[in-house]
Amino acid sequence: FWKKAVKLFEPHLSAVSSALQSVGVDPSILFQHIDNHNTVSEFDDKNKNKKHGQLHAKRILHITETGRLKSTCRINNKHLSLKSLRKIVAPLFTRVDVGIASAALGRPASRLAMIDMGVSDEVKSRCRKIREEYKEARRYTRQLKRDLESRVLPPLFEIRDSGGGFDEEQLELLEHWIDELGEFLEFDV
């Protein structure tokens, strides 16, 4: 004797509904209520929004007079074959090879890939685009720094501190000049 009651939400609700249709059973049986006495009734008004369904799967094994093992299967009190029962409940179960899953979870790239499976392609595409824009901006910044280091500065900008760099006043003045030059370049374009 095997009996299981499950409350179904999306995406499992759609998968089980499709499986029910494929074996010739009306999926609306998922939206009927079965009480402890196996009587079927429609959900009450507050549950008729059909955002969830109930699946009561039942399999009874018995031995026939010839000694063969026979199954009687039901879903929400509707008789079905064992093959149909298997097809309907298959979307609700997942087989996991523990060794392979453990090895995959041990690698950071695999963990990230598993998380990324739940992200839409649009979001992934946008992230890749932003990453490329960031890389380009970083390359541009590095090029500006190299250009700045290679320029000959007026005598006013002699290195004053002992660390070999510019003091804060000099850096502030340089940033001001760079900003002004940038505005002229944008204006010319």
Side-chain angles (χ1 to χ4, degrees):
F1 179 74
W2 176 80
K3 182 177 180 179
K4 186 69 178 168
V6 180
K7 190 179 277 191
L8 297 173
F9 295 92
E10 289 299 337
H12 298 100
L13 183 60
S14 297
V16 171
S17 293
S18 297
L20 282 167
Q21 283 180 331
S22 72
V23 297
V25 177
D26 183 12
S28 67
I29 67 169
L30 296 174
F31 305 105
Q32 297 172 343
H33 174 70
I34 300 174
D35 63 17
N36 292 337
H37 303 292
N38 288 332
T39 56
V40 178
S41 63
E42 291 293 320
F43 277 168
D44 55 7
D45 289 337
K46 67 181 178 183
N47 290 321
K48 281 201 175 190
N49 58 15
K50 295 189 178 186
K51 292 192 186 227
H52 75 274
Q54 289 186 7
L55 177 72
H56 294 268
K58 186 177 190 181
R59 179 180 179 197
I60 300 172
L61 298 171
H62 49 88
I63 300 175
T64 63
E65 294 134 9
T66 61
R68 286 185 49 205
L69 189 63
K70 185 165 172 127
S71 292
T72 302
C73 303
R74 293 177 183 211
I75 289 187
N76 291 17
N77 279 343
K78 175 134 180 84
H79 287 279
L80 298 167
S81 67
L82 179 58
K83 184 177 180 180
S84 296
L85 177 70
R86 283 184 182 143
K87 187 172 185 176
I88 292 166
V89 298
L92 302 176
F93 296 100
T94 302
R95 288 186 182 165
V96 176
D97 184 330
V98 176
I100 293 172
S102 175
L105 290 173
R107 294 186 307 271
S110 296
R111 289 191 301 266
L112 185 59
M114 287 178 204
I115 292 170
D116 286 347
M117 288 188 326
V119 178
S120 71
D121 290 336
E122 180 183 318
V123 172
K124 289 178 191 176
S125 160
R126 187 163 181 237
C127 286
R128 281 190 290 272
K129 181 181 174 191
I130 290 170
R131 180 182 63 202
E132 292 304 316
E133 289 173 359
Y134 173 76
K135 286 180 180 179
E136 184 60 35
R138 193 168 178 166
R139 279 192 286 271
Y140 180 71
T141 302
R142 286 181 184 148
Q143 183 62 38
L144 284 177
K145 285 183 180 181
R146 281 194 298 274
D147 289 348
L148 181 61
E149 290 171 359
S150 67
R151 291 186 184 177
V152 178
L153 297 173
L156 170 69
F157 285 99
E158 295 175 10
I159 297 175
R160 296 181 193 161
D161 67 7
S162 60
F166 299 108
D167 64 12
E168 285 194 37
E169 182 183 337
Q170 291 172 324
L171 287 174
E172 194 174 305
L173 186 56
L174 270 176
E175 286 175 0
H176 176 72
W177 285 355
I178 290 171
D179 289 341
E180 284 186 355
L181 289 173
E183 288 177 23
F184 284 121
L185 289 174
E186 288 175 8
F187 183 72
D188 288 342
V189 176

